Amino acid sequence: MATYTADAPVLDNYHAVVSAFSDFLTVAIHTILYERDIYPRSSFLAARKFNCPVRQSRHPKVCKWIQDAVAAVEVEMLKVRVDICKVVLCDVSVVISAGGDNLCTLSNVSLVIHAPPPSSAPLERFLFSTAAFPSLPSSEVLTPFNGSPPPAADLPEQFRATISRLSTLSSALSPLPPDCSFTLVTELRDDADIHPPLAPDTPWLAAEPHLQKQRKRNESEAQPGSTRGKDLGGVKTTPIRNVESGAFVMEMWVEEGKAKFEG
């Protein structure tokens, strides 16, 4: 069994790495929603996590959405394949590809903040890059890594620093309009053998084309300007923090889209 615990994870296998990521992602989403004023600040409770003060939404539906969305991401990181997905408030949707038994085909998880209707244009993307997570056969989820795991206190300490950075990030970002919405999006690594069927019975949906990176199957398919959606990358990128503790290697940054400045 994985030896992961909420505040002092022992990163001795892949399952523990994914569990630690899920735990941090949950806190980070609550923090971003609070700091970016997606909901009234009075609707958040003061709490503690990773031995630091954090904010948590008190609204049951918001908490349930975050819990379900993060659980869906965790399940896919522990399954055979996951492809680009979109999660909408109160409606988790996913596209799952087939074949293979390597884990962590996931390269990014991002929280996308959209402008209010009718445009609903992406204004900010908070990216959590998991591209450096281990990739191994599904039969080795609980197999101990070679070598000694990092000290148990190392990862929570880095999580504290990252949450602290998120809590002060609003001063570096231009304000958002009122009544914004948000989605959670995952992206695949560029493996040519991953085919994402859009089966009607899957609980996931493909993200909008302007938020998808077009993945070529071979070099002959490559065309200038066709490798990324027009809203990927943004016009301004602000680094947040790199987290590295044993097999847990994650980069974080935020992109501000052109619609934010045009508006």
Side-chain angles (χ1 to χ4, degrees):
M1 296 294 292
T3 54
Y4 171 79
T5 58
D7 289 318
V10 179
L11 304 178
D12 55 355
N13 57 51
Y14 177 77
H15 189 278
V17 170
V18 173
S19 295
F21 174 72
S22 300
D23 203 41
F24 170 76
L25 181 62
T26 300
V27 178
I29 292 174
H30 280 277
T31 301
I32 293 168
L33 297 182
Y34 174 82
E35 295 295 337
R36 303 307 290 144
D37 295 310
I38 303 302
Y39 296 112
R41 295 200 169 189
S42 59
S43 67
F44 288 79
L45 295 168
R48 292 191 69 83
K49 185 66 175 177
F50 311 123
N51 200 26
C52 71
V54 297
R55 294 288 179 169
Q56 178 182 343
S57 173
R58 69 171 79 207
H59 196 290
K61 289 187 176 180
V62 175
C63 293
K64 183 67 162 57
W65 183 88
I66 296 173
Q67 178 182 348
D68 290 347
V70 173
V73 170
E74 180 175 359
V75 166
E76 297 310 319
M77 293 182 76
L78 293 172
K79 286 172 62 174
V80 174
R81 293 295 189 197
V82 60
D83 210 306
I84 295 173
C85 71
K86 177 182 178 181
V87 186
V88 185
L89 186 60
C90 298
D91 179 19
V92 179
S93 317
V94 198
V95 171
I96 302 175
S97 66
D101 68 344
N102 284 336
L103 293 169
C104 202
T105 57
L106 202 63
S107 63
N108 292 319
V109 177
S110 56
L111 183 71
V112 183
I113 298 177
H114 296 269
S119 74
S120 299
L123 303 180
E124 294 177 354
R125 286 206 314 155
F126 289 81
L127 282 100
F128 307 80
S129 176
T130 59
F133 275 22
S135 183
L136 67 165
S138 56
S139 59
E140 298 183 9
V141 175
L142 299 176
T143 301
F145 295 135
N146 292 328
S148 300
D154 181 59
L155 192 59
E157 181 178 346
Q158 296 191 57
F159 284 166
R160 285 195 295 273
T162 307
I163 295 300
S164 176
R165 170 65 172 154
L166 284 173
S167 298
T168 60
L169 194 61
S170 289
S171 61
L173 303 175
S174 56
L176 292 168
D179 301 322
C180 288
S181 60
F182 62 95
T183 60
L184 195 65
V185 176
T186 63
E187 301 172 24
L188 276 183
R189 296 179 180 181
D190 276 328
D191 294 341
D193 62 333
I194 301 175
H195 301 275
L198 299 178
D201 57 344
T202 62
W204 292 80
L205 296 173
E208 300 93 331
H210 54 82
L211 285 174
Q212 287 198 32
K213 181 173 62 174
Q214 298 177 16
R215 299 166 54 246
K216 62 190 179 186
R217 299 302 177 192
N218 52 61
E219 292 299 327
S220 64
E221 296 180 23
Q223 298 178 359
S226 67
T227 57
R228 61 189 301 122
K230 64 182 180 65
D231 285 317
L232 297 181
V235 297
K236 179 183 177 182
T237 299
T238 302
I240 297 176
R241 186 178 172 87
N242 294 347
V243 177
E244 184 170 354
S245 181
F248 193 108
V249 180
M250 179 187 70
E251 295 182 69
M252 278 190 64
W253 66 94
V254 57
E255 299 170 352
E256 295 178 86
K258 61 182 180 181
K260 183 178 180 181
F261 300 97
E262 292 173 349

